[in-house]
Amino acid sequence: EVTINYRHGLPVITLMLPTRRERCQFTVKPVMTTVGAFLQDVQREDKGIERAEVFATDGSKVSDATLMEVLLMNDFKLVINNTAYSVSPPVKGKLSSEHATEMEDIKSLVHRLFVALHLEDHQIRKERELLQKLDHLKGELLPLEQMKARIMDSADAKTSRLLWVGLALMSTQGGALAWLTWWVYSWDIMEPVTYFITYGSAMAFYAYFVLTKQDYIYPHAKDRQFLHYFYRKSKKQRFNVERYNKLKDDLAEAEESLRRLRQPLHLRLPIQEINDKD
């Protein structure tokens, strides 16, 4: 009698060795083992076996190059010496349902072992790489930050002076119009002048909108002038704004990666190892 059972997803063929008169089990890998390799294993196990062949149910011989996976799909005959055994492999669908729970337990165990053996070491190594990257980026950013601070101070000072100059000019204009209205001329003469001054101011604000596509709002105008001074000063001092922004983006990305990595890492590592890193 030849029986076939599945253990851990692999077929186990049990048969009687003719010379030794004992049952022997052969575990095969269906997608890798051929019929010829299986028969050679049987003959190596019992030196008294002179003939070992496999036939289909219609009597045709099965090639030694046929995979065991193909053979186990249908019934077949196993001939050992002069004895023929009729073999009926179990239905694979039924086996999958019977061993599904066992296979899921094995997969879960393998996953837990992998996490226990490799995940923490990988996280610690990744954290060290991120810390080294942060130190390198901060070292490159330090001189750029100092240069940027000096340029920003200079641009802010120029913008503030421009605002005070604008206030002084508006005060001077108002005083000049008052002096011309009450001491030199009359309101009848100065009224057309003030009208054209107002109209000219409206044209200037409209020209600002046409050029910048923005309304003339004092905070926005101040920021725009500040950026103008900043980029002009940066070009003069050869401050690479694009490189600075790239380094800042890389630094923010590295800090976010480190923050996301440390949260699960601190939940797994021992307290003393966390304190050593901190």
Side-chain angles (χ1 to χ4, degrees):
E1 181 183 359
V2 178
T3 60
I4 300 178
N5 297 313
Y6 278 79
R7 293 180 184 175
H8 308 299
L10 296 177
V12 178
I13 303 176
T14 305
L15 54 87
M16 179 69 71
L17 299 177
T19 303
R20 297 166 52 179
R21 303 305 299 174
E22 61 183 6
R23 297 182 65 80
C24 186
Q25 294 181 346
F26 297 89
T27 302
V28 298
K29 298 179 180 179
V31 296
M32 299 176 60
T33 307
T34 62
V35 173
F38 167 68
L39 295 178
Q40 290 177 2
D41 292 340
V42 174
Q43 289 179 318
R44 278 196 299 266
E45 192 67 26
D46 190 344
K47 301 300 182 180
I49 299 177
E50 298 178 356
R51 178 192 177 197
E53 295 176 322
V54 176
F55 294 90
T57 54
D58 58 0
S60 59
K61 188 177 183 301
V62 178
S63 171
D64 291 344
T66 304
L67 291 175
M68 292 296 293
E69 183 180 23
V70 178
L71 178 66
L72 295 176
M73 291 181 178
N74 301 296
D75 296 345
F76 61 92
K77 289 183 180 181
L78 176 62
V79 177
I80 298 178
N81 290 338
N82 296 322
T83 306
Y85 301 92
S86 296
V87 184
S88 298
V91 181
K92 207 167 186 179
K94 295 182 179 179
L95 289 171
S96 61
S97 62
E98 292 174 0
H99 295 277
T101 304
E102 183 178 359
M103 292 301 298
E104 289 297 327
D105 293 341
I106 294 175
K107 291 179 181 178
S108 178
L109 177 60
V110 172
H111 176 72
R112 290 198 300 268
L113 288 174
F114 176 81
V115 171
L117 295 175
H118 301 283
L119 184 58
E120 291 182 359
D121 293 339
H122 171 73
Q123 288 180 325
I124 294 174
R125 184 170 60 254
K126 188 65 176 180
E127 183 188 25
R128 291 172 182 169
E129 293 176 359
L130 288 174
L131 289 175
Q132 293 176 358
K133 183 178 180 180
L134 284 174
D135 292 339
H136 178 70
L137 290 174
K138 289 179 180 179
E140 291 188 358
L141 276 171
L142 181 60
L144 296 178
E145 291 282 7
Q146 296 173 351
M147 184 180 295
K148 178 192 173 186
R150 293 193 298 268
I151 295 175
M152 289 185 66
D153 292 340
S154 176
D156 186 67
K158 288 185 177 181
T159 304
S160 298
R161 285 198 298 269
L162 182 62
L163 293 176
W164 284 105
V165 169
L167 177 62
L169 291 176
M170 291 180 67
S171 300
T172 302
Q173 180 185 5
L177 291 176
W179 178 69
L180 291 174
T181 300
W182 282 298
W183 281 277
V184 179
Y185 303 110
S186 63
W187 174 247
D188 294 336
I189 297 176
M190 294 302 300
E191 183 178 8
V193 176
T194 58
Y195 170 79
F196 283 108
I197 291 176
T198 304
Y199 185 76
S201 300
M203 289 181 63
F205 294 150
Y206 184 76
Y208 178 87
F209 172 77
V210 171
L211 295 175
T212 65
K213 303 302 185 293
Q214 294 178 351
D215 293 335
Y216 188 81
I217 302 175
Y218 291 118
H220 295 173
K222 176 180 177 297
D223 294 339
R224 186 179 184 85
Q225 193 62 38
F226 171 82
L227 292 176
H228 172 72
Y229 287 138
F230 177 83
Y231 278 99
R232 189 170 68 178
K233 189 74 172 179
S234 299
K235 186 176 181 180
K236 185 181 297 184
Q237 295 192 5
R238 296 182 179 179
F239 176 74
N240 194 334
V241 180
E242 289 77 12
R243 180 170 178 267
Y244 173 80
N245 292 333
K246 179 66 167 57
L247 291 174
K248 291 291 286 185
D249 293 339
D250 293 343
L251 181 63
E253 182 180 355
E255 290 177 345
E256 176 64 18
S257 299
L258 184 62
R259 183 190 66 80
R260 295 176 59 186
L261 181 68
R262 277 178 168 174
Q263 186 173 3
L265 185 63
H266 280 197
L267 295 176
R268 294 179 178 272
L269 291 182
I271 297 298
Q272 63 272 17
E273 196 167 348
I274 298 174
N275 294 334
D276 290 342
K277 292 201 302 297
D278 292 341

